[in-house]
Amino acid sequence: MTVPPDTSSLGVASGPAQRWGNVRLVPLLRSFPVEGLHLHPDLSGARPPEPEEGAPEPVAYLPHAYVERWDQDPFPSASYGARLCDPGRPASPTRVPLSTARPRPGHFVRPRFLPWTVSVAGHLERSFADPSIAWERFSLPMARRDRLSPPRENAYTGDEVGDLERALEVFEIHPDQCGVALYVGDEPASAHLTPHPHDYRRLHSSLLLDLFGETLYTWGLMAPESTEPYSPLPEREIRTLADLRRAVARNRAESSRLHDEEMASSFISPGSEFTRIATRGDFTLWNMRPPLIRGTDRHVGEVITGPDGLPAYLSTFRLSTAQVRRGRLLRELSRAEGRLDRTAASLEITEAELIARLERAGLESVLDPNRLARARSEHRRGLGRR
């Protein structure tokens, strides 16, 4: 029987926080790895595990928005949604091409995550859009010479951002680390959790340089450093170096305890809906859809749970105000089965005003070009009559 996700706990402990400017990364530690679930060998480089007699069949997973030449395809493409699969077979994810230009002979495509804004665009479509609206319609306009530029936003891979390599020096990997919680200005921004330390070590560099790259550049390199979230040490009780060590250890233990208690609710929005995507062996993949309510933290993402319902794999992103608007528009379009007239009626606006909103939200790629041109003309005439 499939157990629904347990949102009360992530089943991990937090390690000592690492800070760079206004960015704080908290390592997520497991006492024991989750057995039976591993990153697919196409990404990990490991040999497929041999099934043991009497043991459940091993299961592999793929993360969302990971760029690779899948199945020896000469063209790089991004995986669309996380996936549970057979570790002994090619990964073969649902994927979206990022470039139609044939690669140069010998040109190396670095396996990597897509930048944050592009990855979230895929999550929004999976969570709120009608299935007939493929992510390809959003992503192809973003691919220009293998550089990604979402509408009205800029996105860069880690290779394009100067001094970002310093992040790999600042944010070191803990021996038992299986994931990371990202805070910007001490607000929970993103959490990524893997079942095994080997998986996390394989993904660590691209998480920092590519997925988190712009965030680290903006809030790590460019923003002033914020204060440490620790309580003051009791100066009267400290007389020796041993006293200082014990006080620091107590302080860190208390900070970790508070972080562990609040971690699940910080990165899994209360009231989120979970849709089961697939089950393989003992593991189930869920899509996490937050309520799009103003004034609340909204995290979108995916989770793979084990038999106990606890997350074996987790990927969440906090939505910006602009992304929430996109999510609402996609949700209304989905409810109206993609019909603009019905969507406009549900929002109590005209069709031309709806199309203008879609354009401002960077969603004009879902519209027919001729219809878009007519709506623009009507909208301009309407503004002229005011």
Side-chain angles (χ1 to χ4, degrees):
M1 183 179 69
T2 300
V3 178
D6 181 353
T7 59
S8 64
S9 171
L10 297 186
V12 295
S14 56
Q18 301 167 334
R19 186 175 291 274
W20 192 28
N22 211 16
V23 173
R24 178 163 56 99
L25 260 66
V26 178
L28 304 181
L29 315 177
R30 292 190 188 275
S31 301
F32 302 96
V34 178
E35 297 296 339
L37 182 68
H38 291 272
L39 191 65
H40 193 279
D42 284 0
L43 300 187
S44 68
R47 294 179 59 185
E50 294 291 338
E52 299 179 8
E53 186 176 353
E57 288 289 326
V59 179
Y61 70 94
L62 297 174
H64 167 66
Y66 199 80
V67 177
E68 177 63 282
R69 289 179 179 171
W70 302 104
D71 304 336
Q72 299 182 343
D73 190 333
F75 299 98
S77 56
S79 54
Y80 178 43
R83 183 168 185 253
L84 294 173
C85 49
D86 184 343
R89 295 179 176 272
S92 304
T94 302
R95 51 192 184 262
V96 178
L98 299 179
S99 175
T100 57
R102 181 169 293 277
R104 300 185 304 273
H107 176 63
F108 175 69
V109 176
R110 179 172 62 86
R112 67 184 187 276
F113 282 103
L114 290 178
W116 182 303
T117 49
V118 187
S119 180
V120 171
H123 278 304
L124 286 175
E125 189 276 329
R126 284 175 61 82
S127 298
F128 298 106
D130 187 282
S132 63
I133 302 175
W135 189 40
E136 185 173 354
R137 300 183 69 176
F138 299 115
S139 65
L140 282 181
M142 301 176 186
R144 293 179 176 85
R145 301 188 193 139
D146 202 29
R147 176 176 154 183
L148 305 163
S149 301
R152 307 188 187 284
E153 298 174 16
N154 291 317
Y156 301 88
T157 63
D159 298 335
E160 297 177 294
V161 182
D163 294 330
L164 199 54
E165 290 284 348
R166 286 172 50 197
L168 297 178
E169 302 173 6
V170 175
F171 301 117
E172 298 178 344
I173 302 178
H174 192 282
D176 299 322
Q177 186 170 353
C178 288
V180 65
L182 171 70
Y183 293 82
V184 176
D186 289 329
E187 294 292 333
S190 182
H192 289 263
L193 178 65
T194 66
H196 199 284
H198 292 163
D199 295 353
Y200 181 75
R201 283 196 287 271
R202 178 66 181 84
L203 301 174
H204 174 78
S205 295
S206 187
L207 274 172
L208 296 188
L209 298 182
D210 301 311
L211 188 60
F212 297 161
E214 290 184 84
T215 299
L216 295 181
Y217 182 80
T218 303
W219 296 99
L221 277 171
M222 306 300 290
E225 186 168 349
S226 58
T227 57
E228 292 285 346
Y230 296 123
S231 303
L233 296 178
E235 296 182 11
R236 294 183 180 180
E237 300 177 11
I238 299 174
R239 294 290 182 269
T240 65
L241 284 176
D243 293 338
L244 178 61
R245 292 191 191 97
R246 284 192 292 270
V248 170
R250 285 196 304 269
N251 192 296
R252 287 179 172 173
E254 179 64 14
S255 297
S256 295
R257 184 186 67 80
L258 293 174
H259 183 268
D260 293 348
E261 291 177 354
E262 300 173 357
M263 186 160 40
S265 60
S266 297
F267 293 100
I268 300 177
S269 303
S272 293
E273 297 179 8
F274 292 88
T275 302
R276 185 166 66 90
I277 304 299
T279 297
R280 192 177 187 96
D282 292 333
F283 300 96
T284 302
L285 170 64
W286 306 81
N287 175 263
M288 185 175 73
R289 184 171 60 249
L292 299 179
I293 302 173
R294 289 187 178 91
T296 61
D297 284 346
R298 295 139 305 203
H299 286 258
V300 70
E302 295 168 314
V303 58
I304 297 174
T305 56
D308 55 4
L310 291 175
Y313 169 83
L314 176 72
S315 176
T316 78
F317 298 88
R318 184 179 184 178
L319 298 177
S320 67
T321 302
Q323 289 163 344
V324 169
R325 284 197 294 267
R326 290 182 190 177
R328 289 199 187 106
L329 288 170
L330 288 170
R331 181 185 61 190
E332 294 303 318
L333 276 169
S334 178
R335 289 173 176 174
E337 299 178 338
R339 289 185 52 177
L340 297 183
D341 54 346
R342 289 171 53 183
T343 304
S346 69
L347 296 173
E348 299 181 345
I349 58 176
T350 67
E351 192 171 325
E353 289 171 332
L354 170 63
I355 291 176
R357 287 190 185 185
L358 291 170
E359 283 196 284
R360 288 196 296 272
L363 297 175
E364 63 269 26
S365 56
V366 305
L367 302 171
D368 176 79
N370 295 328
R371 194 169 192 176
L372 177 59
R374 288 197 301 271
R376 284 171 173 167
S377 178
E378 292 173 10
H379 187 59
R380 285 194 295 268
R381 286 199 299 270
L383 292 175
R385 287 194 294 266
R386 292 179 184 176

